[in-house]
Amino acid sequence: MLMQKKSRSTFSAVSVALAVCAAAVATAGCGRADTGTAPAAAAHEAPAAPQAPSSPTSAPPPDKKSADPKAGPQSSAPSAPRSPDGKATQGKGDPGGTAARTVAVKPEGLAKLPVEKSLGWKPDGPLSSQELKGQKITLNECATVAGATLWQQQGYLSSARNAAGQQLFFFPDAASAKGAYDRLVVDMNNCQPTSRGIQAREGVPQDAVVSTTATVKDGTAWSRHWTGVGGMTARDVQTNHLYAVHQGDHLLLFQFDELADRPAPPHDTGTDAAVLGALADLGAQN
């Protein structure tokens, strides 16, 4: 996931942590939240997980086990309440209705992404939906999201068991969402020196290369190829992908990882503008 903690790579929640981590993008997918130093959530991590302002750490729900046998400690957002048919239900005090705001993170939406067929993602656990009250969600070692009032994420694993995750953040208004997107762009544009600094501290080769792979109106995609350092990312060589789209009062993210020790068809970043367009179409349905 650049995309909650499995032994993941970031851009993870999604470990995710769209992305959401699915541990997936590196679990694309997914983050964690707090009011001080924000823990990171990467794609190869499980989807991002918020920490309450009064607590420095957040543990995974008892029923949320990592689907990755190599995964380390993981942090993931609490699952949304489930109805008897297994679908997420609207929680009490949910402003605007959680159930009505799940289009962008429904697994069937992933089929609309140009890269889905080659990577074969499947849901890794249920949709998580949580109201936020001041928590900061860390997406990876470089970027965080602050100021959202509602946060949803869905984790995935690819056929090669690389993580991915979708995440959807709702804000009080369009200006707040745009501010969060702009901060994310600045953080990711500075991610290469940030990542190399982490590598230097951890004693691994300082080989991180972060590239902007596509830009559209209110949307940007990045890739980071580097030797991971463990912790919130997987160790060893990997490429993390992060996509961000701003629309009105919400921010839609998708993250996924490509780990060298889990071979899969290489992702063609030439399709990233199309991926951003597909994500924008999903978000527009909310």
Side-chain angles (χ1 to χ4, degrees):
M1 62 355 305
L2 272 171
M3 140 231 3
Q4 324 158 159
K5 286 188 179 181
K6 290 183 180 184
S7 127
R8 34 193 194 261
S9 78
T10 40
F11 293 176
S12 165
V14 131
S15 234
V16 133
L18 341 34
V20 37
C21 124
V25 257
T27 192
C30 1
R32 278 192 323 194
D34 73 10
T35 54
T37 302
H44 186 63
E45 309 177 331
Q51 296 177 337
S54 60
S55 173
T57 58
S58 175
D63 62 342
K64 264 298 243 196
K65 296 182 180 177
S66 166
D68 180 353
K70 297 183 180 179
Q74 164 183 336
S75 229
S76 63
S79 300
R82 317 302 290 180
S83 63
D85 62 359
K87 296 181 179 179
T89 60
Q90 177 176 338
K92 293 182 180 180
D94 177 0
T98 297
R101 291 175 161 181
T102 59
V103 174
V105 291
K106 282 184 177 178
E108 51 265 38
L110 202 65
K112 298 179 182 295
L113 301 187
V115 293
E116 197 281 334
K117 284 187 177 180
S118 63
L119 297 179
W121 288 306
K122 301 296 181 185
D124 181 28
L127 170 72
S128 292
S129 184
Q130 180 170 331
E131 291 180 46
L132 298 177
K133 298 178 180 178
Q135 300 99 316
K136 180 185 292 184
I137 309 301
T138 304
L139 302 176
N140 53 43
E141 294 88 348
C142 302
T144 61
V145 173
T149 56
L150 180 65
W151 172 40
Q152 296 181 337
Q153 59 183 338
Q154 176 65 56
Y156 303 90
L157 284 176
S158 72
S159 54
R161 300 193 66 75
N162 285 317
Q166 288 172 294
Q167 298 186 61
L168 182 63
F169 294 89
F170 280 89
F171 295 82
D173 49 51
S176 300
K178 180 63 162 57
Y181 171 76
D182 289 344
R183 288 190 296 273
L184 173 59
V185 170
V186 170
D187 288 344
M188 288 306 304
N189 287 345
N190 291 320
C191 190
Q192 181 166 306
T194 298
S195 299
R196 291 191 178 189
I198 294 170
Q199 289 178 313
R201 290 196 299 271
E202 296 297 324
V204 302
Q206 297 174 49
D207 59 1
V209 175
V210 178
S211 305
T212 299
T213 58
T215 56
V216 298
K217 179 176 170 53
D218 295 323
T220 310
W222 299 268
S223 72
R224 175 178 61 178
H225 184 77
W226 71 322
T227 300
V229 299
M232 69 173 293
T233 67
R235 290 189 176 276
D236 301 324
V237 178
Q238 63 198 270
T239 302
N240 316 130
H241 302 273
L242 172 61
Y243 304 81
V245 175
H246 163 242
Q247 293 179 313
D249 67 349
H250 60 274
L251 182 62
L252 176 62
L253 305 180
F254 181 64
Q255 300 169 266
F256 72 93
D257 293 337
E258 296 179 280
L259 306 184
D261 65 350
R262 299 179 188 181
H267 171 58
D268 177 8
T269 57
T271 67
D272 281 357
V275 174
L276 288 170
L279 291 173
D281 288 345
L282 290 176
Q285 300 176 57
N286 283 277

